[in-house]
Amino acid sequence: MVMTMVNPVPASEQIGTVDLASWTVVPGQSNPEKDDHGAWAVTAGDVEQYDLYFEIADAAHPRQVAEFVVEAVQAHATRLRLGAAFADVERERERLRARPPGADLYEGDRARVVVMMAELGRLAAEAYEPAPAAESAAQRERVYDGVTRLAALAVGWLEAVHARYGIDDG
């Protein structure tokens, strides 16, 4: 199998900045007839001028190889992002556990749930309200931090359900 890189080989950091939804498989430049056994390319980024483009050629099934690459990259990036999100929630959960004695994080009473839902609505409204360019990074950080806190509180609620009803891992 031969991979022909039209652009220089991207670094891992560059791959992570390209929207995963934009990764696709297209016929290679030398395969305008879309022959399954001709060259197929993995592309990502802007369709007008790809941020990433490389062709799979001289393989028994180049289109299938290209599709495998796209699926593998998307699955790997999804696992990395999910792992990072869970790690952030876990750190916030530990921070919340360090609260003063008497603060019952496992209590999922009605008032706390209502407050959590209201906060979720506020964060959703903020997330979809365009901010001025100078404020957008701070807005993203506020929303991310708020959602992380809510997720940590929701995990505490799940822990309370497990503790209260004896739900096990099975």
Side-chain angles (χ1 to χ4, degrees):
M1 170 176 55
V2 174
M3 292 186 358
T4 306
M5 300 297 294
V6 174
N7 294 329
V9 177
S12 296
E13 301 82 35
Q14 292 170 310
I15 291 173
T17 62
V18 179
D19 181 10
L20 287 177
S22 73
W23 283 67
T24 190
V25 174
V26 299
Q29 294 172 347
S30 64
N31 186 13
E33 299 84 30
K34 301 179 183 179
D35 177 16
D36 277 351
H37 297 288
W40 283 82
V42 173
T43 66
D46 185 7
V47 176
E48 300 288 322
Q49 183 178 1
Y50 296 120
D51 296 316
L52 176 72
Y53 179 97
F54 62 89
E55 289 185 2
I56 310 290
D58 296 333
H61 303 283
R63 181 178 188 165
Q64 290 175 337
V65 171
E67 289 169 347
F68 172 79
V69 168
V70 168
E71 289 172 17
V73 166
Q74 289 173 332
H76 179 66
T78 298
R79 281 191 304 277
L80 289 176
R81 289 176 180 172
L82 185 59
F86 282 153
D88 288 344
V89 170
E90 186 175 25
R91 276 191 296 281
E92 178 64 10
R93 187 78 187 109
E94 291 305 316
R95 189 188 73 73
L96 291 172
R97 281 192 174 140
R99 293 172 105 181
D104 185 3
L105 296 178
Y106 295 108
E107 186 59 44
D109 65 6
R110 182 183 303 217
R112 183 173 296 184
V113 172
V114 169
V115 168
M116 285 174 55
M117 296 307 293
E119 180 63 8
L120 180 61
R122 188 194 67 71
L123 288 167
E126 182 177 0
Y128 293 101
E129 184 65 37
E135 177 68 17
S136 66
Q139 179 190 39
R140 277 192 308 275
E141 189 173 328
R142 272 193 315 276
V143 169
Y144 187 86
D145 290 348
V147 172
T148 300
R149 182 174 183 282
L150 285 175
L153 290 170
V155 167
W157 193 4
L158 285 172
E159 289 171 327
V161 170
H162 278 259
R164 189 171 293 129
Y165 300 110
I167 297 173
D168 60 15
D169 293 337

